[in-house]
Amino acid sequence: MTDNRETRESSLELARASFRNVGIYDPNMPPCRVDLSDNTNLWGAPPSARLAVEDTDASSLTRYPAPYTRQLNTVLAGYLGVEPGMIVAGCGSDDILDSAIRAFADPGDTLAQLDPTFGMIRVFATVNGLTLAPIPLTTARTAEAVLETGARVIYLCSPNNPTGDVLDPATIESIVAGAAGIVIIDEAYAEFSGVTSVGLLSKYDNLLITRTLSKAFGLAGLRIGYAAGSPEIVREVEKSRGPYKVSSIAERAAVAAVSNDRAWMREKADAVLVNREKFATRLKELGLDPKDSRANFILLPVADANAVGGRMAGQGIAVRALTDLAGIGDALRISIGPWPMMEECLAALQSALS
Ligand SMILES: *Cc1c(COP(=O)(O)O)cnc(C)c1O
């Protein structure tokens, strides 16, 4: 019997070559008293979801959940105003994005995205063997530049993480109309902007719009994301994602929240909008230059974001430090929450900058 261990320098060689350089996700954040780093709902979880979790009969845990979340899909379809057959849910919208990329592109194909945008897309593209074509957000004639890549998958994020701005609807439609492959529009923050591309679904069949319950709906810990698209597109994503990806507790709580807690969600989202403008005004009074945002966070360009973020963390305030963003440089991305948290953040920021 030969021993294969001798032919390898290390067990790392067992991993795919294109995969070995992918880093492990590390938000690089010590636990902080006030966490403004991940854009979750800082008012807490919605009341009906809390009740649904507390009321769960533990003896049901021995059974598998529903394979394809039909009940949740129906509730989410009602929320978006589409047919239930046009919804797919998964373990966070990350799961949907990853599954969609795998379903619609072969290794070696190109994924186009605007730059800067949601950092996980680079990871999912690499893990699935795709080549990334980043188009700077500041590019004139964005739609033409994106379409010229001929990408098999085009990823757009509106409102965009981390810049906070919404994409012009005419640009989005030109891209969808001209795309050779699938266009994914990530609307994780749509509840804050009030702007959506869901209306395009009645006109185009090469479109997948992703949403999440992690942000406005306050359920990041349950890991529920979803997407809307034509029944054929959604079926391909569902095949790629596989069955049983949403736990029974998560589905129950999500159904309860989306059915009963929309007014709760709206109230908190409206509070975000008020605090976001108040916070932006205070930043400008300090001589800073925050970017206009339509989401529940603000991007604040600063020199040496890692150092500033580190000093804020030392005072118990976590924000996301981002470095070398295309066309921006270093910046802090700061989530918007209840006003007392924002006051604490302002104090820590001032002291970290001085
Ligand atoms: C937070 C975020 C997600 C991930 O959401 P999950 O549903 O928690 O996986 C997706 N896209 C963007 C742009 C985000 O900021």
Side-chain angles (χ1 to χ4, degrees):
M1 210 166 69
T2 53
D3 188 340
N4 281 322
R5 282 174 298 185
E6 280 166 25
T7 62
R8 287 194 297 267
E9 296 244 323
S10 97
S11 52
L12 249 188
E13 286 173 34
L14 294 169
R16 272 164 36 219
S18 63
F19 187 75
R20 278 174 226 154
N21 293 330
V22 176
I24 195 150
Y25 178 73
D26 176 13
N28 191 22
M29 258 307 148
C32 277
R33 183 163 39 89
V34 175
D35 188 346
L36 307 179
S37 73
D38 61 9
N39 307 335
T40 47
N41 188 324
L42 294 160
W43 281 264
S48 305
R50 297 176 74 114
L51 275 180
V53 170
E54 283 160 15
D55 285 354
T56 297
D57 171 8
S59 70
S60 72
L61 298 182
T62 189
R63 311 298 311 188
Y64 276 100
Y68 295 113
T69 64
R70 294 288 171 247
Q71 198 193 353
L72 176 59
N73 293 3
T74 303
V75 172
L76 292 169
Y79 175 60
L80 287 192
V82 301
E83 294 297 317
M86 296 173 70
I87 299 285
V88 53
C91 178
S93 50
D94 281 2
D95 186 23
I96 302 288
L97 292 163
D98 181 35
S99 301
I101 291 170
R102 195 161 51 246
F104 295 110
D106 279 310
D109 284 343
T110 300
L111 182 150
Q113 65 169 28
L114 296 177
D115 188 30
T117 195
F118 184 44
M120 289 307 290
I121 298 305
R122 171 180 295 277
V123 176
F124 296 141
T126 312
V127 166
N128 288 298
L130 272 64
T131 305
L132 200 69
I135 309 291
L137 254 181
T138 46
T139 308
R141 301 170 65 246
T142 313
E144 286 84 344
V146 168
L147 292 173
E148 269 166 24
T149 63
R152 193 69 191 263
V153 179
I154 296 172
Y155 171 83
L156 304 173
C157 186
S158 183
N160 186 43
N161 179 2
T163 53
D165 44 358
V166 292
L167 279 169
D168 168 35
T171 302
I172 293 180
E173 184 160 3
S174 308
I175 292 174
V176 175
I182 186 110
V183 180
I184 300 174
I185 306 179
D186 187 333
E187 293 191 347
Y189 301 99
E191 281 86 359
F192 303 101
S193 68
V195 182
T196 179
S197 294
V198 167
L200 293 180
L201 290 171
S202 57
K203 212 166 148 191
Y204 300 96
D205 64 0
N206 61 332
L207 180 60
L208 186 74
I209 299 177
T210 63
R211 293 279 190 106
T212 181
L213 299 188
S214 298
K215 306 289 160 64
F217 270 101
L219 293 172
L222 283 183
R223 308 302 301 124
I224 302 218
Y226 59 103
S230 74
E232 293 76 18
I233 292 291
V234 155
R235 189 180 141 79
E236 294 311 300
V237 177
E238 200 138 64
K239 277 161 54 184
S240 166
R241 183 215 55 203
Y244 306 119
K245 290 298 175 70
V246 176
S247 77
S248 48
I249 293 185
E251 184 173 13
R252 258 171 70 88
V255 164
V258 180
S259 305
N260 307 321
D261 292 330
R262 287 187 213 177
W264 176 93
M265 181 278 289
R266 196 62 261 156
E267 184 189 304
K268 307 311 177 205
D270 287 343
V272 163
L273 307 191
V274 171
N275 289 354
R276 186 187 67 206
E277 295 322 298
K278 207 165 146 188
F279 187 66
T281 303
R282 293 283 293 275
L283 292 173
K284 287 175 192 163
E285 285 166 6
L286 295 175
L288 300 167
D289 190 21
K291 302 216 103 352
D292 286 338
S293 171
R294 302 288 300 274
N296 66 340
F297 55 83
I298 278 188
L299 190 72
L300 178 67
V302 293
D304 202 352
N306 277 333
V308 178
R311 289 197 287 273
M312 291 178 73
Q315 298 175 71
I317 310 294
V319 298
R320 186 62 59 96
L322 301 163
T323 52
D324 286 325
L325 299 176
I328 296 167
D330 278 19
L332 301 176
R333 195 197 62 202
I334 305 172
S335 309
I336 304 296
W339 190 249
M341 291 188 189
M342 305 321 295
E343 286 279 15
E344 286 203 67
C345 175
L346 281 165
L349 177 67
Q350 263 184 286
S351 119
L353 286 173
S354 65

